[in-house]
């Protein structure tokens, strides 16, 4: 089901360079168009948890996918900057409205011990969306100058099929069917059913800040990679799309790999490793010329791509009650959305001023580094607290 979200969110990265040329936008404008998607995402995630609790995830997901289709059809007919902003804004609203309940559903059927692995498997669908977009769009564009419009129509049709499958096979969380909730780790979780208590949780705020740093840093890769390869490195449309697909193909396993690692070694430890790897790859990508090296760097980044949202969903579930997870996840995703909104605006300005992506890649890399260092600090704090709790428990025996 998350493959449909992959088409919605990350098809934008594959189509945006061609849409830019087709409508005649400059880099500042295309940065604002990209930000419109994340403004829509922010609006959506701020309220989606409430609707999931009230009417159930299945209805929310299918309504959100319908909004994505409307956005795609508007984009297919965009003739100027303002229409493109409206279409992409709806794409963001639909993406936010489908991603939070979808990831929540993936974890709701499993205990915390296996939650990271379960969410990671579901996140592989985003990679499927990237692979198909990266291969399909350049082929369609090669056939005609207006091929990017046809791409939106085709992706809208594919998303419609996913809505049909969701209607037939998707199930709500166990709680909505009055089934027994999965067990939670009471030593690490807080009994927080009320929204105000979620907002007062310092750990949730820290997770939100880390999510913001990733929301800022990954955008250059996921949204502007094709453009960077074409215009900074001079690669063809086909090769650029192929590299985008390589990242997407390898990202299919990224959530499963890192979700499982986080189950075994701890959420923040795994998250710090992911963000430090992404920092290294962004730096390497900014200075590499060799097609082989670029392919390796893109591939390694792809192997970590969906690790962060996977671990974030599992981490939030460690600190709130199962019933409160959609609201808490919506709250931390607001931070993520802020990072996504700021990133393309800053990237657009930097590219317009320097006429290259080097500065944008470096900035994104160091924001990723800050997030990774925050994760490590939180991991060390948790270890100290766990040791203290263990010593206190021993003293009472």
């Amino acid at each position: 089901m998350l493959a449909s979200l992959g088409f919605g969110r990350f098809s934008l990265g594959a189509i945006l360079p061609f849409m830019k040329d087709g409508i005649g936008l400059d880099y500042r404008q295309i940065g604002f168009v990209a930000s419109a998607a994340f403004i829509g995402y922010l609006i959506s995630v701020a309220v989606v948890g409430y609707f999931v609790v009230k009417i159930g995830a299945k209805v929310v997901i299918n309504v959100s996918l319908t909004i994505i289709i409307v956005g795609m059809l508007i984009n297919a007919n965009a003739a100027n900057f303002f229409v493109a902003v409206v279409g992409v804004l709806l794409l963001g609203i639909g993406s936010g409205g489908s991603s939070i309940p979808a990831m929540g559903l993936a974890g709701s059927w499993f205990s915390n011990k296996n939650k990271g692995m379960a969410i990671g498997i579901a996140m592989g669908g985003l990679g499927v969306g990237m692979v198909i977009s990266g291969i399909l769009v350049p082929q369609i564009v090669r056939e005609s100058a207006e091929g990017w419009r046809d791409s939106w129509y085709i992706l809208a049709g594919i998303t419609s099929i996913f809505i049909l499958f969701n209607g037939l096979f998707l199930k709500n969380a166990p709680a909505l069917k009055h089934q027994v909730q999965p067990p939670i780790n009471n030593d690490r979780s807080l009994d927080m059913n009320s929204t105000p208590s979620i907002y007062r949780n310092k750990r949730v705020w820290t997770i939100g800040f880390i999510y913001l740093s990733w929301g800022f840093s990954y955008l250059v890769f996921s949204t502007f990679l094709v453009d960077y390869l074409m215009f900074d490195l001079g690669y063809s449309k086909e090769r650029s799309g192929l590299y985008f697909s390589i990242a997407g193909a390898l990202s299919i396993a990224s959530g499963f790999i890192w979700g499982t690692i986080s189950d075994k070694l701890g959420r923040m430890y795994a998250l710090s490793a992911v963000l430090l790897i992404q920092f290294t790859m962004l730096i390497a990508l900014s200075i590499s010329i060799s097609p082989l090296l670029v392919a390796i760097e893109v591939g390694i980044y792809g192997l970590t791509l969906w690790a962060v949202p996977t671990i974030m969903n599992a981490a939030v579930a460690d600190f709130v009650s199962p019933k409160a997870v959609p609201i808490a996840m919506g709250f931390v995703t607001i931070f993520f959305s802020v990072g996504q909104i700021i990133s393309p605006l800053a990237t657009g300005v930097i590219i317009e001023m320097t006429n290259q992506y080097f500065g944008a890649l470096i900035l994104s890399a160091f924001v990723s580094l800050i997030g990774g260092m925050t994760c490590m600090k939180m991991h060390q704090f948790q270890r100290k607290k766990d040791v203290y709790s263990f010593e206190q428990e021993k003293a009472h025996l």
Side-chain angles (χ1 to χ4, degrees):
M1 193 274 295
L2 278 167
S4 59
L5 177 58
F7 291 126
R9 255 174 94 186
F10 300 103
S11 57
L12 186 63
I15 299 176
L16 206 57
F18 309 113
M19 195 173 175
K20 167 181 168 290
D21 294 336
I23 302 177
L25 305 178
D26 60 33
Y27 278 106
R28 280 192 175 89
Q29 288 175 317
I30 208 66
F32 193 87
V33 169
S35 288
F38 308 122
I39 291 171
Y41 194 87
L42 173 60
I43 293 168
S44 187
V45 300
V47 299
V48 69
Y50 170 82
F51 287 106
V52 170
V53 171
K54 290 295 182 182
I55 62 176
K58 182 174 180 176
V59 174
V60 172
I61 289 169
N62 280 339
V63 169
S64 298
L65 291 178
T66 303
I67 294 172
I68 287 177
I69 291 172
V70 173
M72 287 177 170
L73 295 177
I74 291 174
N75 286 337
N77 292 279
N80 56 56
F81 168 72
F82 296 104
V83 176
V85 167
V86 172
V88 173
L89 180 70
L90 290 175
L91 206 64
I93 291 172
S95 297
S98 53
S99 64
I100 300 302
M103 289 186 285
L105 277 182
S108 65
W109 295 88
F110 295 86
S111 68
N112 282 9
K113 187 171 74 171
N114 298 311
K115 197 177 293 288
M117 179 187 68
I119 297 172
I121 292 171
M123 290 296 292
L126 292 175
V128 173
M130 280 186 69
V131 172
I132 295 176
S133 298
I135 294 173
L136 187 65
V137 172
Q139 295 298 324
I140 297 172
V141 171
R142 188 171 61 179
E143 298 299 321
S144 70
E146 296 287 285
W148 61 271
R149 297 186 188 275
D150 297 330
S151 299
W152 283 123
Y153 283 121
I154 291 170
L155 293 173
I158 294 173
T159 305
S160 300
I161 295 172
F162 277 102
I163 292 177
L164 177 61
F165 274 96
N166 289 345
L168 293 174
F169 302 113
L170 191 64
K171 295 182 179 180
N172 279 316
L176 294 178
K177 288 185 170 291
H178 308 291
Q179 297 175 14
V180 178
Q181 285 283 4
I184 62 172
N185 185 345
N186 291 322
D187 293 334
R188 290 184 169 227
S189 299
L190 298 178
D191 184 19
M192 298 192 311
N193 291 302
S194 66
T195 301
S197 61
I198 293 171
Y199 298 155
R200 291 195 297 267
N201 188 335
K202 291 181 181 179
R203 292 187 183 185
V204 172
W205 275 82
T206 305
I207 289 171
F209 172 78
I210 296 166
Y211 214 3
L212 186 152
S213 69
W214 184 70
F216 185 100
S217 68
Y218 95 111
L219 249 293
V220 168
F221 185 89
S222 66
T223 303
F224 295 106
L225 176 64
V226 172
D227 202 46
Y228 168 67
L229 296 175
M230 287 171 56
F231 296 104
D232 273 30
L233 299 186
Y235 291 1
S236 67
K237 295 174 183 177
E238 290 74 21
R239 173 175 280 187
S240 300
L242 175 63
Y243 279 34
F244 189 77
S245 295
I246 289 172
L250 292 172
S251 76
I252 293 171
S254 64
F256 170 76
I257 293 168
W258 289 99
T260 304
I261 291 172
S262 76
D263 288 335
K264 304 295 183 183
L265 302 180
R267 309 296 184 207
M268 292 301 110
Y269 183 83
L271 204 53
S272 65
V274 167
L275 290 170
L276 290 175
I277 290 170
Q278 292 186 354
F279 159 76
T280 305
M281 290 305 102
L282 287 171
I283 293 291
L285 199 58
S286 71
I287 59 177
S288 296
I289 300 175
S290 165
L292 178 60
L293 282 178
V294 171
I296 292 171
E297 290 152 9
V298 166
I300 293 174
Y301 196 105
L303 282 170
T304 67
L305 191 54
W306 308 127
V308 176
T310 297
I311 298 172
M312 282 297 172
N313 278 266
V316 166
D318 286 345
F319 300 124
V320 303
S321 64
K323 188 176 180 180
V325 167
I327 297 173
M329 199 59 220
F331 178 59
V332 300
T333 308
I334 290 173
F335 290 82
F336 169 62
S337 302
V338 170
Q340 290 190 119
I341 292 168
I342 298 170
S343 180
L345 292 174
T347 299
V349 171
I350 292 171
I351 296 169
E352 198 71 28
M353 290 174 60
T354 63
N355 205 30
Q356 60 179 356
Y357 275 90
F358 178 79
L361 287 167
I362 294 297
L363 176 61
S364 296
F366 278 96
V367 172
S368 181
L369 178 63
I370 292 169
M373 293 171 65
T374 306
C375 290
M376 186 55 69
K377 186 175 180 180
M378 190 171 178
H379 174 71
Q380 291 170 346
F381 171 79
Q382 285 179 302
R383 284 188 62 189
K384 288 179 181 178
K385 190 164 185 178
D386 288 344
V387 170
Y388 176 77
S389 299
F390 178 71
E391 294 296 331
Q392 289 290 98
E393 188 176 324
K394 282 175 61 181
H396 285 86
L397 293 177

